Amino acid sequence: MSVISNNDILKKYLQLDQKGQVQVEYVWIDGFNQLRSKTKTVDKVPLSAACLSEWNYDGSSTGQSSGRDSDILIRPVALFSDPFRGGDNKFVICDTYNPDGTPHETNYRSSCEKIMLEHADKKPWFGIEQEYMLFDPETNKPYGWPKHGLPEPQGKYYCGVGSGKIFGRDIIEAHYRACLFAGVNISGVNAEVAPGQFEFQVGPCEGISMGDHLWAARYLLDRVAEDFGIIVSIHPKPVKGEWNGAGCHTNFSSLEMREEGGLVAIQDAIKKLGLRHSEHIAVYGQDNDQRLTGRHETGRIDQFSAGVANRGVSIRIPRHVEKEGKGYFEDRRPASNIDPYRVTDIVMRSIYATNP
C-alpha cells in the first residue's frame, strides 16, 4: 500500500486553477519583534505594494494594543512572490499604524524611511549578515546535537562539508531557493562556527529596502523551517558556554565611500559612530550583553573600538578596503535579533543628521 504524504496532498491542491484570483499573505512585525501574517484574496495580480489595500488585525493578540481598542492597521510596503503557493501569489511586508493613522510605537520603518529619503543623495548601501541557529523541538537542543552531552568543540563546522559537520543543509538550501524565487536580494549563505548554526547575507540594498528585504528573508526562513518541523532561533547567545553567539553584522557604504579616496569618509563615519556608542547599543538587540563580551570574535559592549581586519572590535574595516582606499565598513555590534529598520536608521542619523 502506497503512503501519500501531507505535502503530496498539498501539492495537488496548489496546482488547481485559481480562476484569476490570487492569494496575498500580509506579513507584519508584532509587539515582540516577531512576525505575524494572514491571507487575503485579491481579484487581480498586484504589480506593487501600492496596488494592495490597507487591512487590520487584533493588536491585543500581538502585544500591540488593549482589548478595548484593539484594531491595528497594516499598510503594504514591499511586495514579493510567494514561493510556497507559487504562481502569481504574493506576500507583502507591511508596517503598522494606529486607528488615527499615526505610526504605531512598534513601527520603526516610518522613522527609518524619513531619514533615508532625507539623505537619498548619499546613495546609502547596506548589507546585513543574519546569523541564526536551528533547534530540534523534541530535544530542545540545536539541530544535530547529541541527545546527551555536547558535540565536539568549535573548529570543524564553519563552512564545513560532510556528515558530522553540517546539520540542516536541506533547510538552508530550501530557504535560499525560496528567497531567490521571492525576489529577496540574498547574496549568500554559509555554515557558522557551531553545529546547527548558519548565516545568510542580504544586500547590498539601498536605503529602506534593507529592512524590507531582511524581514522578508526572515519570514521565508520561519516558513521553510515550519515545513521541516524545526525551530529558528535568532537569540544572540542561543547556547551558553564556549560557543559563538549570533549577530547581524551590518555593512555600510555611501557613494562617497565607494569612490576613490573613500577611506577618509569611512574613517570620519567611524569617529561619529563612536561618539554615540551607547545609543547604538540600546537599539542593537536584546540580550546583546551575553554576546558582546570581548570573546568569540566580538568587541566589548561597554567599549567602542575599530580596526582593520580585526573581528574583535566594534567596527571592522576589511583588509581589501584599506588596501584599495575605498569601499565599506562592517559594524559588528548588532545582535541577531535586531530590527533592521532601527539599526539602519541610527547608522544614518549618527553619520549624517545635523541633530541626530
Side-chain angles (χ1 to χ4, degrees):
M1 183 178 69
S2 63
V3 177
I4 301 176
S5 71
N6 290 339
N7 281 339
D8 290 333
I9 296 172
L10 178 59
K11 288 177 183 177
K12 177 180 177 180
Y13 284 102
L14 288 176
Q15 293 170 359
L16 296 177
D17 185 3
Q18 296 169 247
K19 300 186 183 303
Q21 294 179 313
V22 296
Q23 294 163 280
V24 177
E25 195 75 10
Y26 279 55
V27 181
W28 70 92
I29 305 160
D30 68 11
F32 310 103
N33 200 44
Q34 297 178 3
L35 291 166
R36 307 278 180 137
S37 74
K38 62 177 183 175
T39 314
K40 174 179 278 192
T41 302
V42 177
D43 289 334
K44 61 181 180 180
V45 180
L47 300 179
S48 69
C51 298
L52 295 167
S53 62
E54 182 179 274
W55 208 6
N56 65 76
Y57 64 91
D58 173 16
S60 68
S61 297
T62 63
Q64 291 169 297
S65 69
S66 66
R68 294 183 178 182
D69 187 11
S70 62
D71 280 358
I72 302 293
L73 307 178
I74 39 178
R75 297 177 184 171
V77 293
L79 188 68
F80 299 89
S81 296
D82 188 334
F84 307 107
R85 293 178 173 127
D88 291 325
N89 298 294
K90 309 289 183 182
F91 74 92
V92 65
I93 301 298
C94 304
D95 54 4
T96 52
Y97 290 84
N98 299 310
D100 63 2
T102 58
H104 190 271
E105 63 181 359
T106 59
N107 176 359
Y108 297 108
R109 187 184 190 279
S110 177
S111 172
C112 182
E113 186 172 34
K114 289 178 182 177
I115 193 71
M116 296 301 177
L117 290 173
E118 287 175 14
H119 300 282
D121 61 311
K122 307 298 183 184
K123 300 294 181 183
W125 287 6
F126 293 90
I128 292 184
E129 306 165 27
Q130 174 70 69
E131 295 177 339
Y132 61 94
M133 183 166 272
L134 301 176
F135 274 80
D136 185 336
E138 293 186 3
T139 63
N140 201 32
K141 299 178 75 172
Y143 189 53
W145 284 36
K147 292 183 179 180
H148 305 287
L150 297 172
E152 293 180 46
Q154 295 178 171
K156 67 178 184 178
Y157 309 108
Y158 173 69
C159 295
V161 178
S163 180
K165 301 175 186 177
I166 301 301
F167 309 93
R169 194 182 292 278
D170 49 352
I171 301 172
I172 307 320
E173 286 297 316
H175 172 246
Y176 203 154
R177 294 296 183 90
C179 285
L180 292 173
F181 180 91
V184 170
N185 189 13
I186 186 170
S187 50
V189 300
N190 61 266
E192 268 300 335
V193 297
Q197 187 180 44
F198 296 89
E199 172 189 300
F200 63 84
Q201 302 93 33
V202 175
C205 295
E206 188 166 331
I208 194 66
S209 65
M210 182 69 257
D212 295 339
H213 280 248
L214 186 66
W215 276 116
R218 284 177 172 178
Y219 165 73
L220 293 174
L221 180 58
D222 280 340
R223 281 286 284 104
V224 166
E226 177 184 319
D227 287 345
F228 283 88
I230 295 298
I231 296 170
V232 177
S233 170
I234 57 172
H235 190 277
K237 191 68 174 178
V239 181
K240 308 294 184 184
E242 295 302 312
W243 304 95
N244 275 31
C248 258
H249 302 153
T250 301
N251 302 293
F252 176 78
S253 73
S254 64
L255 180 61
E256 182 183 16
M257 295 175 187
R258 297 188 293 272
E259 293 180 333
E260 292 300 321
L263 184 59
V264 174
I266 290 172
Q267 293 169 335
D268 181 61
I270 291 173
K271 290 177 183 177
K272 292 178 179 179
L273 294 175
L275 295 175
R276 303 186 68 205
H277 177 64
S278 60
E279 295 167 74
H280 281 253
I281 291 298
V283 299
Y284 273 13
Q286 285 189 310
D287 298 321
N288 206 14
D289 59 310
Q290 298 177 25
R291 168 180 161 266
L292 294 182
T293 61
R295 303 181 62 204
H296 305 112
E297 299 181 280
T298 69
R300 287 177 55 89
I301 196 168
D302 58 349
Q303 297 176 0
F304 182 82
S305 56
V308 176
N310 186 346
R311 285 175 165 78
V313 294
S314 306
I315 306 289
R316 179 179 72 96
I317 297 176
R319 178 69 66 190
H320 73 276
V321 171
E322 183 196 43
K323 183 177 180 180
E324 296 173 11
K326 61 181 179 179
Y328 67 95
F329 65 81
E330 177 191 48
D331 190 340
R332 297 181 58 81
R333 296 170 295 174
S336 49
N337 57 4
I338 57 161
D339 183 325
Y341 297 129
R342 301 185 79 179
V343 171
T344 56
D345 182 310
I346 197 170
V347 167
M348 290 295 290
R349 291 183 192 280
S350 292
I351 298 174
Y352 297 114
T354 304
N355 296 302

